[in-house]
Amino acid sequence: MTDTVRVRPLADGDWDAVVTLERDAYGGLGLSEGRTALQSRAAASPDTCFVVDVGARTAGYLLALPYPPHRYPDLTRTEAVREAVPPGNLGNLHLHDIVVAPGLRRRGLARHLLRHLTGTARARGDRRISLVAVGGTERFWSARGFVPEPGVVPDDAYGGGAVYMSRAVAAARPARDRPSALPPAPILREVS
C-alpha cells in the first residue's frame, strides 16, 4: 500500500461511506443498524469516533462510546441523548463498530484504528476498552488482548455466539533513551 494512511475524526461528509461499509459488514448477519442509529452513537461521543483514509478513499471507520462495564448499545434503539459523560468517568470505552472495506482488509488498517482508539482511551483516562465480538470474531479480538466474558450478552441481542470482551488500556510506553546521531557538543571555556 503506497497511499498515505490517515486516521481522523469522523466528519459529516463521511456518513454515506460509513453506512455502506456498515451495511456490507453486518447486513448478512442481520445486525445492520442503519444511518440513524449509527449517527446517534457517534453523536453520543464524537471525540471517540474515527475513519481511516487510504489516500483520498474512506477505507474504514470505528465508533466507540463510553458505556458502563458489562453494558453495550441496544441494536434496536438509537442512543439516547444524555449529558456528556466526562472522559474517564465510567472508566470504560466501548468499541461498538470497527469496519474496514473488504478490498483493503489484512493490511493493518484495523490496527491503525485500534491503536488510535487505545491512545484516545488512555488520554481520556479510561481504564478498559470493551466490545461485543460477533460473527465468529472472538479469536481475532483475543489475539489483540481482549478477554471473553461469557454470559454478558444474551443470544438475541447481537446474534448467536456474540461474546462480550474487554481489555485493560495499557499505560503509555516510556520514550526510550536514544543515542544522538551527533557527537556531544564540545565544552567551551572562556579564556581571559
Side-chain angles (χ1 to χ4, degrees):
M1 189 177 343
T2 58
D3 289 323
T4 302
V5 174
R6 180 176 67 130
V7 176
R8 62 175 174 78
L10 178 64
D12 288 340
D14 295 321
W15 282 109
D16 287 343
V18 167
V19 168
T20 299
L21 287 166
E22 189 267 354
R23 182 195 63 227
D24 292 348
Y26 297 114
L29 297 171
L31 300 175
S32 182
E33 298 175 85
R35 182 182 298 260
T36 302
L38 295 171
Q39 287 178 323
S40 76
R41 302 204 199 295
S45 187
D47 295 338
T48 58
C49 297
F50 312 102
V51 296
V52 61
D53 293 326
V54 175
R57 178 181 178 190
T58 300
Y61 75 93
L62 180 150
L63 301 179
L65 56 161
Y67 252 78
H70 303 109
R71 304 251 337 257
Y72 43 86
D74 182 338
L75 296 180
T76 64
R77 297 182 175 179
T78 58
E79 232 19 72
V81 176
R82 55 186 175 181
E83 287 185 38
V85 178
N89 188 46
L90 296 174
N92 187 70
L93 189 57
H94 187 77
L95 169 52
H96 179 65
D97 260 357
I98 185 169
V99 176
V100 172
L104 296 171
R105 291 181 184 155
R106 301 192 191 290
R107 297 183 184 193
L109 298 175
R111 185 176 57 238
H112 282 287
L113 285 164
L114 190 55
R115 190 178 314 130
H116 193 82
L117 180 66
T118 301
T120 300
R122 187 180 305 115
R124 287 171 36 89
D126 293 308
R127 293 181 304 279
R128 298 197 71 73
I129 296 174
S130 64
L131 57 87
V132 176
V134 299
T137 59
E138 182 180 344
R139 191 168 158 191
F140 172 87
W141 292 111
S142 291
R144 281 140 190 89
F146 287 84
V147 177
E149 298 182 41
V152 175
V153 181
D155 281 343
D156 62 346
Y158 278 70
V163 178
Y164 183 92
M165 303 178 79
S166 70
R167 78 170 194 203
V169 175
R173 293 182 189 159
R176 293 186 208 171
D177 291 330
R178 296 183 191 146
S180 174
L182 301 173
I187 299 173
L188 301 176
R189 294 185 195 179
E190 190 173 323
V191 179
S192 44

